[in-house]
Amino acid sequence: MTDPRPDPDDLLEVVKDEDHRSKRGQLKIFFGACAGVGKTFAMLQAARQRQAEGVAVGIGIVETHGRKDTQELMEGLSVLPRKMMSGNGRPTAEFDLDGALASGCRLLVVDELAHTNVAGSRHAKRWQDVEELLGAGIDVYSALNVQHLDSLNDIVGGIIGVRVRETVPDRIFDAATDVILVDLPPDDLLARMNAGKVYLPVSIERARQNFFRRGNLIALRELALRRVADRVNSDVRTYRVSHAIKTVWPTRELLMVCVSADRSQEKLVREGARLAQRLHAKWIVVHVDQPYHGDDTRARETLLSIAASAQAAGAEFANVPGQDVAETLLDYARKRNVTKLIVGNPAGRSFMPFRLRLQERIARAAPEMGVILLSVNDAGLAIKRRVADEPQGYARALVIATLACGATTAAAAWLLRVFDLSNVVMLFLMTVVFVAMRLGRVAGAWAALLSVACFDFFFVEPRLSFAVTDTQYIFTFALMLVVALVISQLAARMRSEARVARAGERRASALARIARDLSSAIKVEQVISVCRDAITPLFGARVILLVPDKKERLVSTEDAGLVDLSVAQWTLDHAQEAGLGTQTLNAADALYLPLKASMATRGVLAILPTDASLSNDPDDRRLLDACCSSIGLALERIHFVEVAQDTLVRMEGEKLRNALLSAVSHDLKTPLTAIRGLAETLEHTRELPEDDRSDLARSIRVQADELKRLVSNLLDLARMQSEGVRLNKEWHSLSEIVGSALAQSAALLKPRTIRTNLPADLPLVEVDAPLIERVLINLFDNAAKYTPPTSTITVRGGASGDSMYLVVEDDGPGLPTTDPDALFEPFTRGQKESSITGVGLGLALCRSIVAAHGGNIRAEARKPHGAAFEIRLPLGAPPEIESEAVNDQATHSDR
């Protein structure tokens, strides 16, 4: 009985697609054969209708080409302002994507979907702008001509003699919610053009001689009609899947050629190709993969050859697993909405009735489908292969089955001493099951026949004879034979299905393992390791990865002498397989497969067989193709990770450069302006009291010191970040370092009160004294800038455990940020909007110097107000000062 419910997998795909569409805006494309058919006019009419329904409609961009009727339709609609971009050396008005996103419109009209944006725009193509609008939940109306579809671009180029450069991917067209075909007969279109409704009068004659020729228009019109019909057919298929419609709707001609693994079927493929060409219909070639015992290498090679012939002829090949041929073919045909089935009819004597049963079952079960019988020769060879293994393998299986039946007979003879004859029958059935499970259906059938014969000959009266005294045993023998044969066939089928399941599980596990390893790869070297450790043993062949450099030239990652780079380069350039076992450059010693990703071909995988040839197993080839897809996606992800890292580095560098320029332009200009002003005062004021001259000179010196400090901080921080901090450590007294730093900062700290609290017994500390002085000077400078003149600055220190601490604190307004650690970042200032000069490098320089000494510096807010900066340095093992003093006194006394 046919299940009326929809297929769960197909229905899940439909539900996922509908859920995805519900979260996005809806795209309606007004599609036409060429310019002038009225796409923009129809689009604006539809937009006005939506506005009349209360929808907020906006005109993102519409090209009227000077047509008055089109301009009149735009009246009353909100026209969004365009963005001026500099393209090709002149300003160009482009679609403003950011303005459209912020406009609040529910529907936007964006004309010319295939348009190329001016360089510098966020997206290179307008259809990418439309995708962002749809992702934001905004509906879009747009227009498109058939020559701009990517899949038809070369076809249109061959018709009109000009290759259109602006194209739209077919996925955008297929994913549109609605496609409205705007059609106009060629004669009417030419009449419109002559009336000046398509182009301006100066362009009419040139257009008539080139693009707008009647033959071109007829061909383009047919292409547009066919492409819209293809899309409608896809919608019909989705509807049939979601509603579990099993009957065929002959909305479009689709042929299905049913083949078996036999050489004679190649003729069937050729006949199907000719019939499809005459009917101008699409066609598919289908083979039902039934599980059978044994590995028929010849049949698999034949099936691979048939698949290659079908694909070369333009058909789609499908290898569908199934037990019942008729049911599998009908189920697949209904899913694909096939209108005609092409089945081979054997010529000559028909000694295989199952072929007639197959045709009759198809005709009776699906009367809405047409069944075409084509004569083929030697059709029986495929059936013989299905029921026959290699002779050597069968002989061995039959011998083992015979020995098993002999051993069972001996065991049954011994068991008859204890059990009744009816119980011994089960022993023979167990033997049949064991033989069928281990050796296949033919050996199982032989074991069933032999078991019945042994049971009759050795255990049924009269013994040692096939004669039967009791006629009831005839029924027993028949029933036993039927049961044994059925059990042997079921056991063989279970064994075959288990073997297929194990093989599928092995491939799925291998692919999952490879995908898992590739998903965590962030470097090309990791992908190479996956190819070497996982893929190589899986196929029993040497696998070498080749990746392109920045100039798109392939570079071998290992063993460059084993691959032919010219063949690999051809594979990369054309995104097609080449080399061993293919129709292109097949003299090569390896098979070269392109690693295709979503955006481009990211490399080539070279397969070098360990023996003379590669495996032709279709399952292995599908697994290899899946591995190539995974590798291609991994390489593309690595490529974009590198692009993102480079972009991040450039952004950080640009941010640092902007911060440096901003700080330097302001903070270096301030002391320079002061110095210049003071110098001009000294120059133009001849009679100036001595005290005033001294004050001016002192001010110039202070400003010059400030300028020197800023420049020194910049240079020192740059040197430390590039070369590191070079220390010249010696044992010093902390009091001397603090005193020297206070002396150098005396002018900065006036008139603030300075207090020091340093114990007299502080041990020596091993530091680079000039650098620690620089740290203290920067802290004093920071305190002087951010505290009022009446403040008190305290410097205190001491030793605690294995470290020495030094604290510079004040009673000023305190820290201006809630995150004190952020103050130590380069170009970071507590008060960004402040008149206080400074680049924001002083504290960053302090942290670099202290960290180079093995210490740390931190800032904290004091209560109730004020700030404190604490420096901690490792104490080390200072020398003994007292012993050195005694030695010095002894030396002086000797002198």
Side-chain angles (χ1 to χ4, degrees), residues 295-341:
D295 184 14
D296 195 341
T297 306
R298 290 177 299 176
R300 299 185 75 85
E301 292 178 353
T302 301
L303 185 61
L304 190 63
S305 176
I306 293 174
S309 300
Q311 292 171 351
E316 175 189 350
F317 182 82
N319 190 28
V320 185
Q323 292 287 347
D324 188 280
V325 176
E327 289 183 2
T328 304
L329 290 174
L330 285 174
D331 182 63
Y332 188 79
R334 290 190 179 103
K335 286 183 178 180
R336 298 297 300 269
N337 202 28
V338 172
T339 56
K340 290 182 174 61
L341 275 73

Side-chain angles (χ1 to χ4, degrees), residues 550 639-651:
K550 294 182 179 179
H639 168 74
F640 285 121
V641 167
E642 293 175 351
V643 170
Q645 290 176 344
D646 293 341
T647 304
L648 182 61
V649 169
R650 288 196 298 269
M651 289 173 61

Side-chain angles (χ1 to χ4, degrees), residues 667-668 671-672 674-675 697-713 743-748 774 777-778 781 785 837:
D667 296 315
L668 293 186
L672 287 174
I675 292 172
R698 188 181 304 108
S699 299
I700 291 175
R701 180 175 58 81
V702 170
Q703 295 295 336
D705 290 342
E706 177 68 19
L707 182 61
K708 178 183 177 182
R709 188 177 299 108
L710 292 174
V711 174
S712 298
N713 285 341
Q744 296 182 52
S745 305
L748 293 173
R774 174 67 65 83
I777 291 172
N778 283 336
D781 177 63
K785 288 179 179 178
T837 61

Side-chain angles (χ1 to χ4, degrees), residues 724-802:
V725 184
R726 298 178 182 178
L727 301 178
N728 182 20
K729 288 185 177 182
E730 293 182 356
W731 293 99
H732 294 276
S733 171
L734 191 59
S735 301
E736 294 179 358
I737 296 175
V738 173
S740 176
L742 287 173
Q744 296 182 52
S745 305
L748 293 173
L749 298 175
K750 286 183 179 180
R752 296 165 182 82
T753 303
I754 308 299
R755 294 178 180 174
T756 59
N757 183 12
L758 299 174
D761 58 347
L762 275 178
L764 300 180
V765 61
E766 188 180 19
V767 294
D768 189 326
L771 290 181
I772 297 299
E773 288 180 8
R774 174 67 65 83
V775 172
L776 293 174
I777 291 172
N778 283 336
L779 292 178
F780 295 152
D781 177 63
N782 189 71
K785 288 179 179 178
Y786 293 99
T787 59
T790 58
S791 299
T792 300
I793 299 176
T794 303
V795 182
R796 57 184 177 87
S800 174
D802 59 350

Side-chain angles (χ1 to χ4, degrees), residues 339-612:
T339 56
K340 290 182 174 61
L341 275 73
I342 301 177
V343 183
N345 187 33
R349 286 194 331 172
S350 177
F351 54 90
M352 296 180 198
F354 74 92
R355 282 193 178 272
L356 294 178
R357 290 200 300 271
L358 173 65
Q359 299 158 12
E360 290 175 356
R361 289 178 62 188
I362 291 176
R364 291 175 181 176
E368 72 277 10
M369 296 185 194
V371 180
I372 302 175
L373 299 181
L374 296 179
S375 177
V376 294
N377 296 322
D378 301 325
L381 293 179
I383 307 305
K384 293 179 181 178
R385 291 189 185 117
R386 290 182 180 180
V387 297
D389 287 335
E390 296 293 333
Q392 297 85 352
Y394 260 130
R396 179 175 176 273
L398 294 178
V399 170
I400 294 175
T402 303
L403 294 177
C405 290
T408 303
T409 302
W414 184 79
L415 290 175
L416 279 176
R417 301 174 184 177
V418 182
F419 298 103
D420 188 62
L421 183 63
S422 60
N423 295 324
V424 176
V425 174
M426 300 305 298
L427 185 62
F428 284 97
L429 292 179
M430 288 180 59
T431 302
V432 172
V433 172
F434 174 77
V435 170
M437 288 288 293
R438 302 295 298 179
L439 303 176
R441 63 182 64 201
V442 174
W446 170 249
L449 294 172
L450 198 59
S451 295
V452 172
C454 290
F455 182 77
D456 180 20
F457 189 78
F458 291 104
F459 303 113
V460 176
E461 298 293 340
R463 297 190 178 187
L464 303 179
S465 171
F466 289 106
V468 179
T469 57
D470 191 349
T471 56
Q472 293 183 357
Y473 279 110
I474 297 177
F475 176 76
T476 302
F477 296 155
L479 184 61
M480 180 179 174
L481 179 61
V482 170
V483 171
L485 288 174
V486 170
I487 289 176
S488 68
Q489 297 302 307
L490 291 177
R493 176 178 292 184
M494 290 176 58
R495 176 178 180 271
S496 176
E497 292 179 349
R499 186 182 69 253
V500 172
R502 284 194 301 270
E505 190 273 337
R506 178 184 63 85
R507 290 190 294 269
S509 299
L511 187 59
R513 184 175 64 255
I514 292 171
R516 180 197 62 201
D517 295 340
L518 290 174
S519 65
S520 60
I522 58 175
K523 295 182 179 179
V524 177
E525 290 75 13
Q526 293 175 305
V527 178
I528 297 172
S529 176
V530 173
C531 294
R532 181 178 59 250
D533 300 336
I535 300 180
T536 294
L538 187 62
F539 296 101
R542 184 68 180 275
V543 177
I544 297 178
L545 178 65
L546 299 100
V547 295
D549 56 14
K550 294 182 179 179
K551 297 181 179 180
E552 291 299 318
R553 305 303 301 175
L554 282 177
V555 178
S556 178
T557 55
E558 54 180 341
D559 297 332
L562 297 178
V563 296
D564 190 338
L565 289 179
S566 61
V567 180
Q569 190 65 45
W570 187 95
T571 301
L572 178 70
D573 296 339
H574 295 81
Q576 297 178 11
E577 63 180 28
L580 184 65
T582 67
Q583 301 297 321
T584 304
L585 303 173
N586 53 11
D589 297 329
L591 172 63
Y592 297 88
L593 300 175
L595 302 177
K596 300 179 182 178
S598 57
M599 300 297 291
T601 303
R602 298 297 175 184
V604 173
L605 198 67
I607 313 296
L608 287 82
T610 53
D611 52 8

Side-chain angles (χ1 to χ4, degrees), residues 93-173:
E94 276 288 355
F95 172 59
D96 187 2
L97 178 58
D98 292 323
L101 291 170
S103 64
C105 295
R106 184 65 185 85
L107 169 64
L108 283 174
V109 178
V110 183
D111 201 4
E112 296 187 357
L113 188 61
H115 174 75
T116 301
N117 294 330
V118 174
S121 302
R122 182 186 309 177
H123 301 301
K125 297 290 186 178
R126 185 167 291 170
W127 60 264
Q128 294 173 310
D129 296 338
V130 169
E131 279 201 314
E132 186 167 345
L133 293 173
L134 297 175
I138 300 175
D139 296 342
V140 177
Y141 283 0
S142 189
L144 182 68
N145 289 331
V146 68
Q147 66 264 29
H148 295 296
L149 276 178
D150 192 45
S151 62
L152 300 177
N153 183 254
D154 55 344
I155 299 176
V156 175
I159 294 173
I160 66 177
V162 178
R163 189 68 176 267
V164 179
R165 297 300 177 186
E166 294 180 330
T167 60
V168 174
D170 284 59
R171 63 178 178 83
I172 303 296
F173 182 84

Side-chain angles (χ1 to χ4, degrees), residues 136-250:
I138 300 175
D139 296 342
V140 177
Y141 283 0
S142 189
L144 182 68
N145 289 331
V146 68
Q147 66 264 29
H148 295 296
L149 276 178
D150 192 45
S151 62
L152 300 177
N153 183 254
D154 55 344
I155 299 176
V156 175
I159 294 173
I160 66 177
V162 178
R163 189 68 176 267
V164 179
R165 297 300 177 186
E166 294 180 330
T167 60
V168 174
D170 284 59
R171 63 178 178 83
I172 303 296
F173 182 84
D174 295 330
T177 307
D178 291 309
V179 174
I180 307 299
L181 178 64
V182 183
D183 186 39
L184 198 63
D187 293 336
D188 294 346
L189 180 58
L190 291 174
R192 288 198 66 209
M193 186 185 68
N194 294 331
K197 297 181 179 181
V198 178
Y199 290 118
L200 296 177
V202 294
S203 305
I204 293 177
E205 187 61 31
R206 186 173 66 253
R208 186 189 295 112
Q209 294 177 358
N210 296 295
F211 188 89
F212 278 80
R213 290 182 291 181
R214 191 173 186 277
N216 291 352
L217 298 179
I218 293 174
L220 293 176
R221 188 187 187 199
E222 181 180 1
L223 284 176
L225 292 171
R226 286 186 178 275
R227 189 61 184 86
V228 173
D230 290 341
R231 190 186 181 283
V232 174
N233 185 70
S234 177
D235 294 339
V236 170
R237 181 181 175 186
T238 301
Y239 181 85
R240 295 179 72 252
V241 168
S242 60
H243 290 77
I245 298 175
K246 299 299 183 180
T247 58
V248 174
W249 290 359

